[in-house]
Amino acid sequence: QVQLVESGGGLVQAGGSLRLSCTASRSILRIKSMSWYRQPPGKQRELVATTASDGSTNVADSVKGRFTISKNTAKNTVTLQMNSLKPEDTAVYYCNAETMSTTGFFSNYWGQGTQVTVSS
């Protein structure tokens, strides 16, 4: 199992920056992938960015060039750096970890979420 704790959300003006952190309860070295999702008010949860165990990263087109995902395996943390924030980035942001057992069974774990509000 993996417990995830997010931090770093808050209120920021449009054009500003925020950094979200997600700390895992165990080593992230063998976690298949770690991602940030977000859920805007009244909308479905959507994938924002992913970092995989092989070091590859991917970000959604809507945030490309503005958001960066990175990880620190020594501290078991994944960070989402968000720049040039827009009001439409307002959402609850969730950290996700996807693991795969030796038998090929996938499991997903979620943090409690952190609110990001961007004012215009």
Side-chain angles (χ1 to χ4, degrees):
Q1 287 211 352
V2 186
Q3 282 78 46
L4 303 170
V5 178
E6 301 109 333
S7 62
L11 173 64
V12 65
Q13 287 189 332
S17 299
L18 280 176
R19 177 177 290 183
L20 305 184
S21 290
C22 172
T23 301
S25 59
R26 66 168 177 89
S27 173
I28 64 173
L29 276 173
R30 290 195 173 88
I31 291 180
K32 182 177 180 294
S33 66
M34 294 196 68
S35 303
W36 285 95
Y37 285 75
R38 68 185 181 186
Q39 187 164 16
K43 296 184 179 181
Q44 290 188 333
R45 194 172 297 189
E46 61 185 13
L47 178 63
V48 176
T50 298
T51 177
S53 56
D54 64 0
S56 61
T57 61
N58 196 22
V59 296
D61 288 342
S62 59
V63 304
K64 197 163 290 184
R66 300 188 297 123
F67 290 13
T68 304
I69 188 170
S70 61
K71 61 183 175 183
N72 185 324
T73 54
K75 296 184 177 181
N76 299 326
T77 59
V78 176
T79 298
L80 184 68
Q81 178 66 43
M82 307 186 293
N83 299 326
S84 302
L85 283 160
K86 304 175 181 180
E88 50 263 44
D89 295 319
T90 295
V92 178
Y93 284 71
Y94 296 90
C95 182
N96 167 272
E98 184 179 58
T99 64
M100 186 178 72
S101 71
T102 54
T103 56
F105 182 78
F106 289 90
S107 297
N108 271 279
Y109 302 91
W110 295 90
Q112 80 285 358
T114 185
Q115 177 70 47
V116 171
T117 303
V118 184
S119 63
S120 57

